[in-house]
Amino acid sequence: MQGFEVYSDASVWQQTFDQLALFWSFEDVNATWVLVGSLLLGMSASVIGAFAFLRKRSLLGDALAHAALPGVMMAFLLSGSRDAEVIFSGALLSSLLGFWIIDWLPKNTKIKPDAALAITLSFMFALGLMLLSLIQSTDMPNKSGLDKLLFGQAAAITSEDIHLLVYVTSAVLITVILFFDKFRLIAFNRLYAQTLGISVRFYEFLLALMIVLSVVVGLQLVGVVLMAAILLTPIAAARFWSHQLSYLLLLAGIFGALSASIGAQISYIAPAMPTGPWIVVSLSLVFFVSFLVAPQNGLIKRYLDYRRLRLRVAQENILRTLYKLLERDHFKRNDFTVAQIIALRNIQVQTLKQTLKQLQKQGLVRELGDGFALSETGLRRAIELTRRHRLWESYLSQHADLTSEQVHQQAEHMEHILNQEHEEQIVAELMQRLSDPHGQPIPPKNTIEEL
């Protein structure tokens, strides 16, 4: 067939490999600038954005990014210049004005903080779009490309932009290192920080200023619309991996830098694909991978924990049922059939047999002919569970206005969670109470020795 060329996977892979090799040779100055700029922005925005995320002000970065647009357009209208310093100054002043409006509205009106964010974001963005339309309708030189600030244009990054990124990244990271304790305290307990005499308003302004600087300096790379993703997605992904703030900031910085590197490489291999959106897509992939497989709070980990908990609860319920049968026969008989267990515990036969096999493997239950008996270890565990169940029933009966059935249902859950410390606290509270609200004896710790 004429004109038909067989698609060669090998040639595509070889071409991609050659492009990557050229990218990492740093011979292409523009590609190097894009990589360096993306890495600096990824690290600084991820670290400072973490504090906005932890203070539950995630939309602050988004609002400030949109608030920068009218400042950029006004700076261009007044100066006719697109120099990095001019654009940066206009965006900085505009974002600070947006921050002032966001802070002023809730304090001086009945408008809630989230509504103030939404109002400021929409107003400033609309104003910016109007100014952009005005500029497009004039014959001003250098006006082409201003609309690229909406989604970023990393390929147009200059050495002046890199210098600004270096200054801002250094300022952000040094500020976080110097005032880490203050920022941490304000992020988790603002009122406690005030009682310690810390100037909360000053550190909140300093934090907001660092966020504004990161937002403004990142407009050229990822644009107004996508800047919030650079600030928030890394820390959201890091939350699945750790609970310690220092590790969270480190992980957020690594995720931001990794995604920036991936975005820069893809846009270099495929020039039609912009860097900013690819950085955001890479960050989103990091987030979903973390959501699924993170060992601390990932979905798979939580699912496995849930399965283990359900299995343990099922096994402990059978142990306690065997103890109740034992107790019902005044401890004269330790051999009960499946039918006797089911009569006391609502459970399917197949599930019960599987659970009994699991208990046998753990040495907690022994099979005797057609019946099953608690081993010594199983009896100890069954006494412990029954004791905690009845103690909790007694505690609720004494301190909560619940019916006996409600008390029992609550204790069915709590008996699997209570530990030795909780048990001792309840015993001290109940003043050596001997029976539960249903009249059943609370087995003492030395029950097994007595038996």
Side-chain angles (χ1 to χ4, degrees):
M1 185 181 295
Q2 292 183 347
F4 178 79
E5 294 182 2
V6 178
Y7 181 79
S8 172
D9 285 335
S11 64
V12 172
W13 283 110
Q14 183 60 46
Q15 189 177 0
T16 303
F17 178 79
D18 292 342
Q19 290 285 325
L20 284 175
L22 183 60
F23 178 84
W24 286 108
S25 70
F26 304 111
E27 293 178 359
D28 189 329
V29 176
N30 187 255
T32 305
W33 283 353
V34 171
L35 175 64
V36 172
S38 301
L39 288 173
L40 291 171
L41 177 66
M43 287 188 293
S44 61
S46 302
V47 170
I48 201 67
F51 290 99
F53 179 88
L54 295 172
R55 294 189 63 209
K56 299 179 180 178
R57 300 195 71 184
S58 299
L59 279 178
L60 179 62
D62 196 23
L64 294 178
H66 285 74
L69 189 61
V72 173
M73 299 306 156
M74 187 58 73
F76 179 78
L77 272 173
L78 295 177
S79 67
S81 170
R82 290 186 56 186
D83 290 345
E85 293 81 3
V86 174
I87 299 298
F88 177 83
S89 301
L92 180 61
L93 290 175
S94 186
S95 289
L96 286 175
L97 175 62
F99 176 73
W100 179 79
I101 296 173
I102 292 169
D103 187 58
W104 186 87
L105 279 177
K107 292 178 180 175
N108 296 279
T109 67
K110 294 183 178 180
I111 295 174
K112 300 293 183 186
D114 56 343
L117 280 170
I119 291 170
T120 307
L121 184 152
S122 54
F123 167 68
M124 299 293 278
F125 188 54
L127 184 62
L129 291 178
M130 288 173 60
L131 291 172
L132 177 60
S133 299
L134 176 64
I135 292 171
Q136 299 295 348
S137 66
T138 66
D139 55 355
M140 294 179 70
N142 300 324
K143 66 180 181 180
S144 62
L146 277 175
D147 57 334
K148 300 294 184 184
L149 286 172
L150 293 176
F151 300 102
Q153 189 180 26
I157 196 168
T158 63
S159 58
E160 288 78 12
D161 294 319
I162 296 295
H163 290 154
L164 280 174
L165 277 163
V166 170
Y167 297 147
V168 169
T169 301
S170 302
V172 167
L173 296 181
I174 290 172
T175 302
V176 170
I177 292 171
L178 288 177
F179 303 110
F180 176 76
D181 291 336
K182 306 287 191 310
F183 288 158
R184 177 174 58 182
L185 190 57
I186 293 170
F188 290 106
N189 200 330
R190 188 177 186 275
L191 291 176
Y192 182 61
Q194 283 180 322
T195 61
L196 293 179
I198 294 174
S199 179
V200 173
R201 287 184 62 81
F202 168 75
Y203 288 107
E204 284 183 336
F205 174 76
L206 187 59
L207 194 59
L209 180 62
M210 293 299 111
I211 293 174
V212 168
L213 288 174
S214 298
V215 165
V216 170
V217 83
L219 295 180
Q220 183 66 47
L221 276 167
V222 296
V224 170
V225 178
L226 299 177
M227 192 59 215
I230 309 295
L231 288 166
L232 305 174
T233 310
I235 184 63
R239 286 296 296 267
F240 292 109
W241 296 83
S242 177
H243 293 300
Q244 293 188 32
L245 183 57
S246 54
Y247 288 124
L248 285 176
L249 296 183
L250 180 62
L251 285 171
I254 291 172
F255 291 158
L258 176 66
S259 302
S261 170
I262 293 172
Q265 290 177 76
I266 292 177
S267 65
Y268 184 77
I269 295 169
M273 297 186 178
T275 306
W278 267 112
I279 293 176
V280 176
V281 169
S282 303
L283 275 174
S284 301
L285 290 175
V286 170
F287 173 83
F288 282 115
V289 170
S290 302
F291 169 70
L292 288 175
V293 304
Q296 191 82 16
N297 293 309
L299 182 65
I300 295 176
K301 165 72 164 46
R302 284 188 289 142
Y303 172 72
L304 293 176
D305 287 346
Y306 174 72
R307 280 196 62 184
R308 280 193 287 269
L309 177 63
R310 282 194 63 183
L311 182 63
R312 182 168 68 83
V313 168
Q315 293 174 353
E316 291 181 349
N317 283 339
I318 299 305
L319 289 177
R320 214 169 68 76
T321 302
L322 287 170
Y323 178 82
K324 288 170 70 176
L325 289 168
L326 195 64
E327 189 180 50
R328 183 179 293 181
D329 284 355
H330 305 288
F331 302 98
K332 295 178 180 176
R333 175 186 166 210
N334 186 13
D335 178 11
F336 305 100
T337 64
V338 169
Q340 288 174 308
I341 298 173
I342 290 177
L344 206 60
R345 173 72 62 178
N346 185 19
I347 185 172
Q348 293 183 354
V349 175
Q350 190 61 31
T351 305
L352 174 59
K353 289 181 177 177
Q354 290 176 353
T355 307
L356 285 168
K357 283 183 181 177
Q358 293 160 0
L359 290 170
Q360 282 181 265
K361 289 180 181 176
Q362 297 174 41
L364 298 172
V365 165
R366 292 179 288 114
E367 187 171 6
L368 298 174
D370 295 333
F372 295 89
L374 286 169
S375 67
E376 182 176 334
T377 307
L379 181 58
R380 286 185 187 278
R381 182 61 183 151
I383 291 171
E384 185 179 84
L385 289 165
T386 304
R387 175 176 167 80
R388 289 175 182 173
H389 178 100
R390 292 175 181 171
L391 281 171
W392 187 249
E393 282 186 323
S394 303
Y395 180 83
L396 285 183
S397 176
Q398 185 170 311
H399 294 280
D401 185 19
L402 298 175
T403 65
S404 59
E405 181 59 27
Q406 289 173 325
V407 164
H408 174 73
Q409 291 299 328
Q410 292 291 328
E412 281 285 302
H413 299 296
M414 290 301 295
E415 70 190 30
H416 308 287
I417 301 172
L418 294 175
N419 55 31
Q420 183 65 33
E421 183 181 355
H422 298 146
E423 181 184 326
E424 291 173 358
Q425 290 175 352
I426 296 171
V427 169
E429 184 79 18
L430 295 176
M431 303 293 290
Q432 302 298 325
R433 188 165 174 166
L434 299 177
S435 63
D436 69 5
H438 311 288
Q440 296 293 325
I442 299 173
K445 282 186 174 180
N446 61 348
T447 299
I448 195 158
E449 285 77 11
E450 293 179 359
L451 292 175

mmCIF file of all heavy atoms in Angstrom, residues 360-393:
data_model
loop_
_atom_site.group_PDB
_atom_site.id
_atom_site.type_symbol
_atom_site.label_atom_id
_atom_site.label_comp_id
_atom_site.label_asym_id
_atom_site.label_seq_id
_atom_site.Cartn_x
_atom_site.Cartn_y
_atom_site.Cartn_z
ATOM 1 N N GLN A 360 -8.556 -21.934 66.444
ATOM 2 C CA GLN A 360 -7.787 -23.155 66.723
ATOM 3 C C GLN A 360 -6.329 -22.978 66.327
ATOM 4 O O GLN A 360 -5.420 -23.393 67.055
ATOM 5 C CB GLN A 360 -8.390 -24.339 65.945
ATOM 6 C CG GLN A 360 -9.656 -24.915 66.568
ATOM 7 C CD GLN A 360 -10.172 -26.093 65.768
ATOM 8 O OE1 GLN A 360 -11.028 -25.951 64.917
ATOM 9 N NE2 GLN A 360 -9.620 -27.255 66.029
ATOM 10 N N LYS A 361 -6.102 -22.354 65.175
ATOM 11 C CA LYS A 361 -4.725 -22.142 64.724
ATOM 12 C C LYS A 361 -3.952 -21.249 65.693
ATOM 13 O O LYS A 361 -2.746 -21.390 65.851
ATOM 14 C CB LYS A 361 -4.726 -21.496 63.332
ATOM 15 C CG LYS A 361 -5.169 -22.438 62.223
ATOM 16 C CD LYS A 361 -5.146 -21.722 60.878
ATOM 17 C CE LYS A 361 -5.615 -22.661 59.779
ATOM 18 N NZ LYS A 361 -5.693 -21.972 58.459
ATOM 19 N N GLN A 362 -4.648 -20.331 66.339
ATOM 20 C CA GLN A 362 -3.993 -19.429 67.304
ATOM 21 C C GLN A 362 -3.892 -20.051 68.692
ATOM 22 O O GLN A 362 -3.366 -19.411 69.621
ATOM 23 C CB GLN A 362 -4.777 -18.116 67.383
ATOM 24 C CG GLN A 362 -4.810 -17.339 66.088
ATOM 25 C CD GLN A 362 -5.709 -16.122 66.165
ATOM 26 O OE1 GLN A 362 -5.722 -15.418 67.171
ATOM 27 N NE2 GLN A 362 -6.481 -15.875 65.130
ATOM 28 N N GLY A 363 -4.430 -21.259 68.852
ATOM 29 C CA GLY A 363 -4.349 -21.931 70.154
ATOM 30 C C GLY A 363 -5.315 -21.387 71.172
ATOM 31 O O GLY A 363 -5.119 -21.594 72.390
ATOM 32 N N LEU A 364 -6.351 -20.688 70.730
ATOM 33 C CA LEU A 364 -7.311 -20.111 71.670
ATOM 34 C C LEU A 364 -8.508 -21.025 71.896
ATOM 35 O O LEU A 364 -9.228 -20.889 72.892
ATOM 36 C CB LEU A 364 -7.802 -18.747 71.144
ATOM 37 C CG LEU A 364 -6.714 -17.679 70.980
ATOM 38 C CD1 LEU A 364 -7.262 -16.449 70.269
ATOM 39 C CD2 LEU A 364 -6.137 -17.292 72.333
ATOM 40 N N VAL A 365 -8.745 -21.967 70.964
ATOM 41 C CA VAL A 365 -9.881 -22.886 71.046
ATOM 42 C C VAL A 365 -9.399 -24.286 70.687
ATOM 43 O O VAL A 365 -8.527 -24.445 69.829
ATOM 44 C CB VAL A 365 -11.009 -22.431 70.084
ATOM 45 C CG1 VAL A 365 -12.038 -23.530 69.875
ATOM 46 C CG2 VAL A 365 -11.683 -21.174 70.613
ATOM 47 N N ARG A 366 -9.963 -25.298 71.356
ATOM 48 C CA ARG A 366 -9.658 -26.696 71.044
ATOM 49 C C ARG A 366 -10.922 -27.395 70.562
ATOM 50 O O ARG A 366 -12.028 -27.113 71.034
ATOM 51 C CB ARG A 366 -9.129 -27.434 72.284
ATOM 52 C CG ARG A 366 -7.757 -26.959 72.732
ATOM 53 C CD ARG A 366 -7.276 -27.694 73.963
ATOM 54 N NE ARG A 366 -8.015 -27.293 75.152
ATOM 55 C CZ ARG A 366 -8.826 -28.088 75.837
ATOM 56 N NH1 ARG A 366 -9.020 -29.341 75.435
ATOM 57 N NH2 ARG A 366 -9.452 -27.662 76.912
ATOM 58 N N GLU A 367 -10.764 -28.315 69.604
ATOM 59 C CA GLU A 367 -11.917 -29.081 69.120
ATOM 60 C C GLU A 367 -11.987 -30.382 69.899
ATOM 61 O O GLU A 367 -11.005 -31.138 69.965
ATOM 62 C CB GLU A 367 -11.789 -29.360 67.623
ATOM 63 C CG GLU A 367 -13.034 -30.010 67.025
ATOM 64 C CD GLU A 367 -12.987 -30.097 65.507
ATOM 65 O OE1 GLU A 367 -11.923 -29.742 64.949
ATOM 66 O OE2 GLU A 367 -13.985 -30.517 64.900
ATOM 67 N N LEU A 368 -13.164 -30.635 70.471
ATOM 68 C CA LEU A 368 -13.358 -31.854 71.268
ATOM 69 C C LEU A 368 -14.558 -32.604 70.701
ATOM 70 O O LEU A 368 -15.705 -32.275 71.006
ATOM 71 C CB LEU A 368 -13.615 -31.496 72.736
ATOM 72 C CG LEU A 368 -12.480 -30.743 73.456
ATOM 73 C CD1 LEU A 368 -12.931 -30.319 74.851
ATOM 74 C CD2 LEU A 368 -11.239 -31.612 73.538
ATOM 75 N N GLY A 369 -14.311 -33.607 69.853
ATOM 76 C CA GLY A 369 -15.425 -34.346 69.253
ATOM 77 C C GLY A 369 -16.261 -33.445 68.377
ATOM 78 O O GLY A 369 -15.759 -32.850 67.417
ATOM 79 N N ASP A 370 -17.542 -33.303 68.731
ATOM 80 C CA ASP A 370 -18.440 -32.431 67.968
ATOM 81 C C ASP A 370 -18.484 -31.013 68.521
ATOM 82 O O ASP A 370 -19.235 -30.174 68.026
ATOM 83 C CB ASP A 370 -19.870 -33.010 67.989
ATOM 84 C CG ASP A 370 -19.943 -34.343 67.278
ATOM 85 O OD1 ASP A 370 -19.099 -34.561 66.360
ATOM 86 O OD2 ASP A 370 -20.795 -35.170 67.639
ATOM 87 N N GLY A 371 -17.732 -30.764 69.574
ATOM 88 C CA GLY A 371 -17.808 -29.461 70.211
ATOM 89 C C GLY A 371 -16.474 -28.733 70.206
ATOM 90 O O GLY A 371 -15.463 -29.230 69.701
ATOM 91 N N PHE A 372 -16.503 -27.555 70.813
ATOM 92 C CA PHE A 372 -15.315 -26.712 70.894
ATOM 93 C C PHE A 372 -15.173 -26.194 72.323
ATOM 94 O O PHE A 372 -16.171 -25.891 72.985
ATOM 95 C CB PHE A 372 -15.419 -25.535 69.922
ATOM 96 C CG PHE A 372 -15.433 -25.952 68.478
ATOM 97 C CD1 PHE A 372 -16.643 -26.243 67.841
ATOM 98 C CD2 PHE A 372 -14.251 -26.083 67.761
ATOM 99 C CE1 PHE A 372 -16.667 -26.634 66.523
ATOM 100 C CE2 PHE A 372 -14.277 -26.474 66.437
ATOM 101 C CZ PHE A 372 -15.479 -26.756 65.809
ATOM 102 N N ALA A 373 -13.909 -26.084 72.772
ATOM 103 C CA ALA A 373 -13.653 -25.639 74.141
ATOM 104 C C ALA A 373 -12.585 -24.560 74.135
ATOM 105 O O ALA A 373 -11.708 -24.534 73.263
ATOM 106 C CB ALA A 373 -13.187 -26.825 74.993
ATOM 107 N N LEU A 374 -12.668 -23.663 75.110
ATOM 108 C CA LEU A 374 -11.644 -22.631 75.256
ATOM 109 C C LEU A 374 -10.372 -23.255 75.818
ATOM 110 O O LEU A 374 -10.422 -24.040 76.768
ATOM 111 C CB LEU A 374 -12.129 -21.538 76.210
ATOM 112 C CG LEU A 374 -13.198 -20.570 75.686
ATOM 113 C CD1 LEU A 374 -13.756 -19.738 76.838
ATOM 114 C CD2 LEU A 374 -12.602 -19.663 74.616
ATOM 115 N N SER A 375 -9.238 -22.934 75.227
ATOM 116 C CA SER A 375 -7.965 -23.322 75.827
ATOM 117 C C SER A 375 -7.687 -22.381 76.996
ATOM 118 O O SER A 375 -8.430 -21.412 77.227
ATOM 119 C CB SER A 375 -6.856 -23.212 74.784
ATOM 120 O OG SER A 375 -6.664 -21.847 74.451
ATOM 121 N N GLU A 376 -6.613 -22.626 77.721
ATOM 122 C CA GLU A 376 -6.301 -21.739 78.852
ATOM 123 C C GLU A 376 -6.037 -20.315 78.362
ATOM 124 O O GLU A 376 -6.504 -19.338 78.952
ATOM 125 C CB GLU A 376 -5.086 -22.273 79.611
ATOM 126 C CG GLU A 376 -4.751 -21.427 80.826
ATOM 127 C CD GLU A 376 -3.600 -22.002 81.634
ATOM 128 O OE1 GLU A 376 -3.385 -23.223 81.569
ATOM 129 O OE2 GLU A 376 -2.916 -21.228 82.321
ATOM 130 N N THR A 377 -5.290 -20.217 77.253
ATOM 131 C CA THR A 377 -5.018 -18.879 76.690
ATOM 132 C C THR A 377 -6.310 -18.231 76.216
ATOM 133 O O THR A 377 -6.540 -17.031 76.429
ATOM 134 C CB THR A 377 -4.039 -19.006 75.510
ATOM 135 O OG1 THR A 377 -2.896 -19.738 75.928
ATOM 136 C CG2 THR A 377 -3.606 -17.632 75.029
ATOM 137 N N GLY A 378 -7.172 -19.016 75.559
ATOM 138 C CA GLY A 378 -8.443 -18.478 75.092
ATOM 139 C C GLY A 378 -9.332 -18.043 76.239
ATOM 140 O O GLY A 378 -10.031 -17.028 76.140
ATOM 141 N N LEU A 379 -9.294 -18.824 77.330
ATOM 142 C CA LEU A 379 -10.101 -18.471 78.488
ATOM 143 C C LEU A 379 -9.630 -17.161 79.108
ATOM 144 O O LEU A 379 -10.442 -16.305 79.502
ATOM 145 C CB LEU A 379 -10.033 -19.599 79.521
ATOM 146 C CG LEU A 379 -10.859 -19.390 80.790
ATOM 147 C CD1 LEU A 379 -12.333 -19.183 80.467
ATOM 148 C CD2 LEU A 379 -10.683 -20.567 81.755
ATOM 149 N N ARG A 380 -8.311 -16.981 79.192
ATOM 150 C CA ARG A 380 -7.785 -15.707 79.723
ATOM 151 C C ARG A 380 -8.277 -14.531 78.884
ATOM 152 O O ARG A 380 -8.704 -13.502 79.408
ATOM 153 C CB ARG A 380 -6.245 -15.738 79.719
ATOM 154 C CG ARG A 380 -5.633 -16.603 80.774
ATOM 155 C CD ARG A 380 -4.114 -16.478 80.763
ATOM 156 N NE ARG A 380 -3.510 -17.426 81.670
ATOM 157 C CZ ARG A 380 -3.393 -17.224 82.984
ATOM 158 N NH1 ARG A 380 -3.833 -16.093 83.508
ATOM 159 N NH2 ARG A 380 -2.834 -18.130 83.751
ATOM 160 N N ARG A 381 -8.202 -14.687 77.554
ATOM 161 C CA ARG A 381 -8.634 -13.599 76.668
ATOM 162 C C ARG A 381 -10.145 -13.377 76.779
ATOM 163 O O ARG A 381 -10.612 -12.221 76.791
ATOM 164 C CB ARG A 381 -8.259 -13.950 75.212
ATOM 165 C CG ARG A 381 -8.606 -12.867 74.203
ATOM 166 C CD ARG A 381 -7.896 -11.573 74.490
ATOM 167 N NE ARG A 381 -8.275 -10.515 73.558
ATOM 168 C CZ ARG A 381 -8.273 -9.229 73.832
ATOM 169 N NH1 ARG A 381 -7.895 -8.826 75.053
ATOM 170 N NH2 ARG A 381 -8.621 -8.343 72.946
ATOM 171 N N ALA A 382 -10.910 -14.457 76.908
ATOM 172 C CA ALA A 382 -12.371 -14.327 77.019
ATOM 173 C C ALA A 382 -12.755 -13.634 78.328
ATOM 174 O O ALA A 382 -13.673 -12.803 78.357
ATOM 175 C CB ALA A 382 -13.012 -15.715 76.948
ATOM 176 N N ILE A 383 -12.065 -13.956 79.422
ATOM 177 C CA ILE A 383 -12.332 -13.292 80.706
ATOM 178 C C ILE A 383 -12.018 -11.797 80.607
ATOM 179 O O ILE A 383 -12.777 -10.945 81.080
ATOM 180 C CB ILE A 383 -11.500 -13.957 81.823
ATOM 181 C CG1 ILE A 383 -12.021 -15.375 82.089
ATOM 182 C CG2 ILE A 383 -11.527 -13.123 83.096
ATOM 183 C CD1 ILE A 383 -11.135 -16.188 83.015
ATOM 184 N N GLU A 384 -10.892 -11.490 79.971
ATOM 185 C CA GLU A 384 -10.490 -10.091 79.809
ATOM 186 C C GLU A 384 -11.549 -9.311 79.025
ATOM 187 O O GLU A 384 -11.936 -8.192 79.401
ATOM 188 C CB GLU A 384 -9.150 -10.055 79.078
ATOM 189 C CG GLU A 384 -8.526 -8.697 78.931
ATOM 190 C CD GLU A 384 -7.191 -8.801 78.216
ATOM 191 O OE1 GLU A 384 -7.182 -8.837 76.971
ATOM 192 O OE2 GLU A 384 -6.164 -8.858 78.902
ATOM 193 N N LEU A 385 -12.032 -9.894 77.924
ATOM 194 C CA LEU A 385 -13.041 -9.218 77.096
ATOM 195 C C LEU A 385 -14.356 -9.050 77.856
ATOM 196 O O LEU A 385 -14.991 -7.981 77.806
ATOM 197 C CB LEU A 385 -13.287 -10.029 75.820
ATOM 198 C CG LEU A 385 -12.154 -10.009 74.797
ATOM 199 C CD1 LEU A 385 -12.357 -11.124 73.768
ATOM 200 C CD2 LEU A 385 -12.095 -8.658 74.096
ATOM 201 N N THR A 386 -14.768 -10.107 78.555
ATOM 202 C CA THR A 386 -16.032 -10.049 79.301
ATOM 203 C C THR A 386 -15.941 -9.028 80.430
ATOM 204 O O THR A 386 -16.890 -8.263 80.687
ATOM 205 C CB THR A 386 -16.357 -11.436 79.881
ATOM 206 O OG1 THR A 386 -16.382 -12.381 78.815
ATOM 207 C CG2 THR A 386 -17.703 -11.429 80.583
ATOM 208 N N ARG A 387 -14.798 -8.990 81.086
ATOM 209 C CA ARG A 387 -14.596 -8.007 82.168
ATOM 210 C C ARG A 387 -14.718 -6.581 81.632
ATOM 211 O O ARG A 387 -15.414 -5.751 82.213
ATOM 212 C CB ARG A 387 -13.213 -8.262 82.797
ATOM 213 C CG ARG A 387 -12.810 -7.259 83.852
ATOM 214 C CD ARG A 387 -11.464 -7.665 84.462
ATOM 215 N NE ARG A 387 -10.905 -6.585 85.243
ATOM 216 C CZ ARG A 387 -11.278 -6.283 86.489
ATOM 217 N NH1 ARG A 387 -12.218 -6.992 87.077
ATOM 218 N NH2 ARG A 387 -10.727 -5.275 87.136
ATOM 219 N N ARG A 388 -14.060 -6.301 80.512
ATOM 220 C CA ARG A 388 -14.104 -4.948 79.949
ATOM 221 C C ARG A 388 -15.497 -4.616 79.421
ATOM 222 O O ARG A 388 -15.952 -3.477 79.533
ATOM 223 C CB ARG A 388 -13.057 -4.816 78.836
ATOM 224 C CG ARG A 388 -11.649 -4.807 79.393
ATOM 225 C CD ARG A 388 -10.578 -4.810 78.347
ATOM 226 N NE ARG A 388 -9.262 -4.849 78.989
ATOM 227 C CZ ARG A 388 -8.117 -4.991 78.340
ATOM 228 N NH1 ARG A 388 -8.116 -5.130 77.022
ATOM 229 N NH2 ARG A 388 -6.966 -5.010 78.996
ATOM 230 N N HIS A 389 -16.182 -5.600 78.852
ATOM 231 C CA HIS A 389 -17.553 -5.383 78.375
ATOM 232 C C HIS A 389 -18.464 -4.978 79.531
ATOM 233 O O HIS A 389 -19.195 -3.981 79.439
ATOM 234 C CB HIS A 389 -18.063 -6.681 77.722
ATOM 235 C CG HIS A 389 -19.479 -6.592 77.234
ATOM 236 N ND1 HIS A 389 -19.795 -6.365 75.906
ATOM 237 C CD2 HIS A 389 -20.653 -6.694 77.889
ATOM 238 C CE1 HIS A 389 -21.107 -6.322 75.764
ATOM 239 N NE2 HIS A 389 -21.656 -6.537 76.960
ATOM 240 N N ARG A 390 -18.406 -5.686 80.611
ATOM 241 C CA ARG A 390 -19.323 -5.426 81.732
ATOM 242 C C ARG A 390 -18.910 -4.180 82.511
ATOM 243 O O ARG A 390 -19.760 -3.476 83.063
ATOM 244 C CB ARG A 390 -19.398 -6.667 82.622
ATOM 245 C CG ARG A 390 -20.108 -7.814 81.889
ATOM 246 C CD ARG A 390 -20.133 -9.115 82.644
ATOM 247 N NE ARG A 390 -20.803 -10.147 81.853
ATOM 248 C CZ ARG A 390 -20.841 -11.437 82.162
ATOM 249 N NH1 ARG A 390 -20.237 -11.876 83.273
ATOM 250 N NH2 ARG A 390 -21.459 -12.288 81.377
ATOM 251 N N LEU A 391 -17.598 -3.925 82.562
ATOM 252 C CA LEU A 391 -17.155 -2.676 83.195
ATOM 253 C C LEU A 391 -17.674 -1.470 82.421
ATOM 254 O O LEU A 391 -18.144 -0.490 83.006
ATOM 255 C CB LEU A 391 -15.622 -2.633 83.255
ATOM 256 C CG LEU A 391 -14.954 -3.443 84.364
ATOM 257 C CD1 LEU A 391 -13.441 -3.485 84.158
ATOM 258 C CD2 LEU A 391 -15.279 -2.847 85.737
ATOM 259 N N TRP A 392 -17.584 -1.540 81.104
ATOM 260 C CA TRP A 392 -18.043 -0.419 80.289
ATOM 261 C C TRP A 392 -19.563 -0.260 80.385
ATOM 262 O O TRP A 392 -20.070 0.862 80.424
ATOM 263 C CB TRP A 392 -17.612 -0.614 78.832
ATOM 264 C CG TRP A 392 -17.909 0.590 77.980
ATOM 265 C CD1 TRP A 392 -18.830 0.696 76.993
ATOM 266 C CD2 TRP A 392 -17.275 1.883 78.066
ATOM 267 N NE1 TRP A 392 -18.835 1.949 76.450
ATOM 268 C CE2 TRP A 392 -17.888 2.713 77.095
ATOM 269 C CE3 TRP A 392 -16.282 2.411 78.877
ATOM 270 C CZ2 TRP A 392 -17.520 4.036 76.915
ATOM 271 C CZ3 TRP A 392 -15.907 3.739 78.685
ATOM 272 C CH2 TRP A 392 -16.526 4.525 77.719
ATOM 273 N N GLU A 393 -20.288 -1.374 80.438
ATOM 274 C CA GLU A 393 -21.738 -1.304 80.638
ATOM 275 C C GLU A 393 -22.058 -0.593 81.964
ATOM 276 O O GLU A 393 -22.940 0.263 82.024
ATOM 277 C CB GLU A 393 -22.338 -2.713 80.648
ATOM 278 C CG GLU A 393 -22.506 -3.333 79.275
ATOM 279 C CD GLU A 393 -23.238 -4.663 79.353
ATOM 280 O OE1 GLU A 393 -22.996 -5.411 80.335
ATOM 281 O OE2 GLU A 393 -24.025 -4.959 78.448
#
